[in-house]
C-alpha cells in the first residue's frame, strides 16, 4: 500500500511543475545575486600579506628594551617594523608606503593607521595590544632577567572563503528547509479531490499516510538540490568539501525541513498557514544561522546562533569546503535527525487525532 501512495504522490507533485522548477532555480538565482554582491565584503576576511610598519622611540622607556623581541615576533606575524626617528609621521607613512606607525613616549604608545590599509591597521592594533602589553608586564615583574620572553599563543583560524563559495553552499542548505514547496502539489490536490477523507475511512494507518508523503517529497528535494548544486558548480565553480559528509549533512537537513513542514500542516490543516509558519521559522533560523549575514561577521551571541539548526549545517559545510574538517558535522547531523524524529512523531500524532475526530 505504501508503494502505491509514494507512486501516486510523485505524480501529484510533478503535476504542479512550477514548485519543482522553483526549487531547482531558486538557489541558483539567489547564489548568483549574492555571491556577486558580497564579494568585496568577504575579501576583508582574507588573510593579509606581510606589511611594513614604522616606529619611533622618543625617549628611553621600558618599551625600548623590548623592541628587538617585538620586531622578531612581528616578523613571525608578517609585520615588519622599521625605525624612523625623524620626520612627520603622516609624511613618513605616505613616503614609505607604511600600513601603520607606532610612536613610543614615556610609558605609553600611540598606533597610527593608514586609511588605505584598514585590515592591516586592525591587525597592527591587535598585535600591539596583545604582545606589547604582555611583554611590558613581563619586564616589570622580572627586572633581573636580561632576556625578555614574550608569551606566545597559537590561535585557531579558518582559512579565507570566497563569497561565491560561501553563498554557493549556504543557500543550498537554506533551500533544503523549504521542502514544503515541492509538497504543495500533493497537499493541494488532496484538499481539492477529497483524498484526505478517503484515507480517513480506509485501512491506511497514519504512519503509512505520513511516509507516503514524506518519502517522495524528500527524494524529490534531494534530487532537486543535487541538480542545483551541480548547476552552481558548473556556472560558478563552487568548492564543496568532503562529498560524502556534505551529502549526508544536506540530506539530513532536507529530511528535517520536510518533517517540520508536515508537522505544521497536520497541526494547522491549512496549506496557507503552514507556508507562513514554516517560512517564518526558516527565516528566523537562517537569520541567526548565517544565511543572510555571514556567521563569521555576525555579532549575535553564540548561545543564540547555536540554537539554529541552520547554523550548524552552514558551519559544517563551509568548514568542510575550506578546511576539509569541521567540529559541527556531528551536531548538524544529530540536530537534523532529532528534528526529523520529533516532528514526524508529532505529525503522525496530530493526524491520528484528526482521524479519530472525524471517524
Amino acid at each position: 500500500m505504501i508503494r502505491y501512495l509514494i507512486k501516486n504522490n510523485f505524480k501529484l507533485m510533478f503535476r504542479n511543475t512550477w514548485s519543482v522548477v522553483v526549487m531547482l532555480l531558486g538557489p541558483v538565482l539567489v547564489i548568483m545575486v549574492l555571491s556577486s554582491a558580497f564579494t568585496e565584503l568577504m575579501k576583508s576576511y582574507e588573510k593579509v600579506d606581510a606589511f611594513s610598519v614604522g616606529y619611533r622611540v622618543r625617549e628611553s622607556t621600558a618599551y625600548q628594551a623590548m623592541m628587538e623581541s617585538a620586531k622578531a615576533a612581528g616578523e613571525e606575524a608578517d609585520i615588519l617594523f622599521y625605525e624612523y626617528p625623524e620626520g612627520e609621521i603622516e609624511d613618513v607613512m605616505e613616503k614609505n608606503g607604511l600600513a601603520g606607525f607606532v610612536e613610543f613616549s614615556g610609558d605609553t604608545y600611540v598606533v597610527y593607521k593608514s586609511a588605505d590599509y584598514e585590515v592591516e591597521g586592525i591587525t597592527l592594533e591587535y598585535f600591539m595590544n596583545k604582545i606589547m602589553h604582555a611583554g611590558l608586564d613581563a619586564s616589570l615583574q622580572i627586572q633581573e632577567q636580561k632576556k625578555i620572553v614574550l608569551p606566545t599563543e597559537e590561535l585557531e583560524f579558518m582559512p579565507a572563503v570566497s563569497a561565491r563559495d560561501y553563498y554557493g553552499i549556504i543557500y543550498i542548505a537554506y533551500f533544503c528547509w523549504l521542502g514544503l514547496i515541492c509538497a504543495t502539489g500533493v497537499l493541494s490536490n488532496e484538499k481539492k479531490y477529497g483524498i484526505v477523507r478517503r484515507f480517513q475511512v480506509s485501512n491506511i494507518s497514519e504512519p503509512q499516510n505520513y511516509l507516503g508523503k514524506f518519502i517522495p517529497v524528500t527524494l524529490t528535494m534531494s534530487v532537486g538540490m543535487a541538480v542545483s548544486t551541480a548547476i552552481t558548480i558548473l556556472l560558478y565553480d563552487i568548492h564543496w568539501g568532503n562529498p560524502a559528509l556534505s551529502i549526508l549533512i544536506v540530506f539530513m537537513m532536507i529530511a528535517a525541513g520536510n518533517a517540520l513542514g508536515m508537522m505544521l500542516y497536520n497541526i494547522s490543516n491549512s496549506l496557507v498557514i503552514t507556508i507562513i509558519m514554516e517560512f517564518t521559522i526558516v527565516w528566523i533560523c537562517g537569520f541567526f544561522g548565517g544565511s543572510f549575514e555571514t556567521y563569521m561577521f555576525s555579532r549575535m551571541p553564540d548561545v543564540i546562533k547555536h540554537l539554529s539548526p541552520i547554523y550548524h549545517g552552514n558551519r559544517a559545510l563551509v568548514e568542510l569546503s575550506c578546511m576539509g574538517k569541521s567540529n559541527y558535522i556531528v551536531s548538524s547531523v544529530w540536530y537534523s535527525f532529532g528534528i526529523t524524529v520529533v516532528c514526524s512523531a508529532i505529525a503522525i500524532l496530530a493526524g491520528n487525532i484528526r482521524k479519530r475526530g472525524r471517524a
Side-chain angles (χ1 to χ4, degrees):
M1 179 61 71
I2 193 170
R3 290 169 55 189
Y4 168 78
L5 290 174
I6 292 172
K7 180 180 178 181
N8 186 62
N9 286 330
F10 266 122
K11 292 180 180 179
L12 291 176
M13 268 193 299
F14 285 99
R15 283 182 183 176
N16 197 1
T17 54
W18 70 266
S19 61
V20 179
V21 172
V22 166
M23 291 308 302
L24 284 174
L25 299 182
V28 178
L29 295 176
V30 173
I31 290 167
M32 177 183 66
V33 173
L34 292 185
S35 63
S36 300
F38 291 103
T39 296
E40 291 301 319
L41 172 66
M42 297 297 287
K43 281 183 179 179
S44 64
Y45 184 69
E46 295 177 1
K47 181 182 181 296
V48 298
D49 297 326
F51 58 94
S52 300
V53 173
Y55 76 93
R56 175 181 301 164
V57 182
R58 287 197 173 274
E59 55 188 77
S60 180
T61 67
Y63 290 116
Q64 189 172 22
M66 52 187 293
M67 272 310 299
E68 292 302 320
S69 297
K71 288 168 69 175
E75 289 181 4
E76 294 183 6
D78 291 334
I79 303 175
L80 308 178
F81 284 89
Y82 298 97
E83 186 174 9
Y84 296 92
E86 302 294 337
E88 291 291 332
I89 291 176
E90 291 184 5
D91 294 337
V92 172
M93 290 178 63
E94 183 176 354
K95 181 179 178 180
N96 297 280
L98 302 177
F101 199 98
V102 185
E103 183 181 42
F104 299 96
S105 179
D107 292 332
T108 62
Y109 68 90
V110 179
V111 177
Y112 297 87
K113 297 182 289 185
S114 171
D116 297 329
Y117 298 92
E118 184 177 353
V119 178
E120 289 83 350
I122 295 173
T123 304
L124 173 62
E125 190 172 19
Y126 178 81
F127 174 85
M128 296 301 300
N129 181 61
K130 301 296 288 185
I131 299 299
M132 298 303 289
H133 275 270
L136 179 59
D137 292 340
S139 66
L140 293 175
Q141 293 174 9
I142 314 175
Q143 295 288 346
E144 66 277 9
Q145 288 189 2
K146 294 182 179 180
K147 183 179 180 181
I148 298 174
V149 179
L150 296 177
T152 60
E153 180 181 358
E154 184 175 345
L155 301 176
E156 291 186 0
F157 71 96
M158 190 175 76
V161 56
S162 68
R164 186 162 289 182
D165 282 349
Y166 181 84
Y167 287 106
I169 292 171
I170 61 102
Y171 269 100
I172 293 294
Y174 185 80
F175 273 82
C176 286
W177 292 84
L178 301 176
L180 190 69
I181 295 176
C182 285
T184 53
V186 176
L187 301 179
S188 61
N189 278 289
E190 282 186 347
K191 287 278 188 179
K192 183 178 180 180
Y193 297 108
I195 299 175
V196 176
R197 292 184 178 181
R198 298 177 187 177
F199 285 158
Q200 288 175 343
V201 297
S202 68
N203 60 352
I204 298 175
S205 66
E206 191 57 33
Q208 288 178 322
N209 187 23
Y210 174 81
L211 292 175
K213 300 186 187 77
F214 178 81
I215 292 175
V217 173
T218 300
L219 292 178
T220 301
M221 278 290 297
S222 299
V223 173
M225 290 300 100
V227 172
S228 297
T229 300
I231 293 174
T232 56
I233 290 174
L234 292 174
L235 292 180
Y236 311 122
D237 192 28
I238 307 299
H239 299 92
W240 287 76
N242 185 300
L245 290 176
S246 296
I247 290 172
L248 174 63
I249 294 167
V250 169
F251 177 80
M252 292 304 298
M253 287 196 291
I254 291 173
N258 290 338
L260 174 65
M262 294 299 298
M263 179 193 73
L264 295 174
Y265 180 76
N266 280 8
I267 291 175
S268 66
N269 198 31
S270 169
L271 186 57
V272 174
I273 294 175
T274 301
I275 291 174
I276 294 173
M277 291 175 66
E278 182 172 36
F279 274 60
T280 301
I281 292 171
V282 173
W283 187 91
I284 292 173
C285 290
F287 179 79
F288 293 113
S291 298
F292 314 114
E293 179 185 30
T294 59
Y295 66 79
M296 291 89 76
F297 299 144
S298 175
R299 291 171 289 182
M300 297 291 177
D302 282 343
V303 175
I304 295 179
K305 289 191 289 188
H306 280 80
L307 292 175
S308 169
I310 294 181
Y311 174 79
H312 293 263
N314 284 348
R315 185 150 183 178
L317 291 170
V318 171
E319 290 183 354
L320 280 173
S321 172
C322 62
M323 296 192 301
K325 61 180 181 179
S326 175
N327 294 328
Y328 286 83
I329 297 172
V330 175
S331 63
S332 174
V333 171
W334 277 108
Y335 209 155
S336 297
F337 178 77
I339 292 174
T340 303
V341 172
V342 172
C343 290
S344 296
I346 295 175
I348 293 172
L349 177 62
N352 278 323
I353 292 173
R354 182 168 287 106
K355 187 173 183 179
R356 292 195 193 101
R358 293 185 179 181

